Amino acid sequence: MARLGAAVNIITTDGPGGRTGFAASAVCSVTDDPPTLLVCLNRSASVYGAVTSNKVLCVNTLTAGHQALSQLFGGKTPADERFAAADWSVLSTGAPALDDALVSFDCVIESTVAQGTHDVLFCRVVSTASRAEGKALFYFDRAYHAV
């Protein structure tokens, strides 16, 4: 799987289950109508309970300058420290949107399918925010790349 390259995203959530987030490359577009993304989430992840309880998330696509932030959200760093490392706002759902992300997709989780160790979350996009410039942070062969 390391040879399957992908954009790096930080997935965030907030609500009754708490505010948290994680780094993910297992994200893709499903359909434009209605706008829907797919996000894969390991059921053993520390964020699993919050994400599934809140039923909302924001997919924040990272720029090449966000490598350190990706590493914070991909490790064991406490949630408060993760969020303190960047500027955040909210769009429609209340899930944190990274202010300088290439694009933030604010979503409601509409359905979930279990597959192996992960849940595949089908997320309807309810609002977006984007910036016009910047290179994407890409993960391939266990390393970061700017694209």
Side-chain angles (χ1 to χ4, degrees):
M1 295 300 178
R3 303 286 296 168
L4 181 62
V8 181
N9 305 276
I10 291 177
I11 313 301
T12 58
T13 189
D14 201 355
R19 182 177 76 158
T20 194
F22 63 100
S25 59
V27 174
C28 72
S29 171
V30 175
T31 180
D32 287 341
D33 189 17
T36 305
L37 297 177
L38 172 155
V39 176
C40 297
L41 175 59
N42 193 318
R43 285 190 297 280
S44 68
S46 62
V47 300
Y48 182 82
V51 172
T52 56
S53 173
N54 293 341
K55 300 188 186 326
V56 299
L57 57 79
C58 189
V59 175
N60 299 281
T61 303
L62 302 184
T63 69
H66 287 132
Q67 182 174 337
L69 189 63
S70 170
Q71 291 168 323
L72 275 179
F73 275 80
K76 301 291 185 191
T77 306
D80 288 344
E81 290 179 38
R82 293 176 186 194
F83 285 100
D87 294 321
W88 305 87
S89 55
V90 294
L91 301 176
S92 300
T93 69
L98 180 61
D99 287 347
D100 61 348
L102 282 177
V103 63
S104 295
F105 298 95
D106 197 28
C107 302
V108 174
I109 301 171
E110 289 200 324
S111 64
T112 302
V113 174
Q115 180 63 41
T117 58
H118 285 62
D119 277 359
V120 180
L121 311 175
F122 291 90
C123 308
R124 183 175 44 84
V125 179
V126 295
S127 61
T128 62
S130 64
R131 48 186 284 196
E133 74 287 335
K135 292 188 177 223
L137 185 62
F138 200 75
Y139 198 71
F140 173 74
D141 205 18
R142 302 193 194 296
Y144 290 101
H145 305 273
V147 178

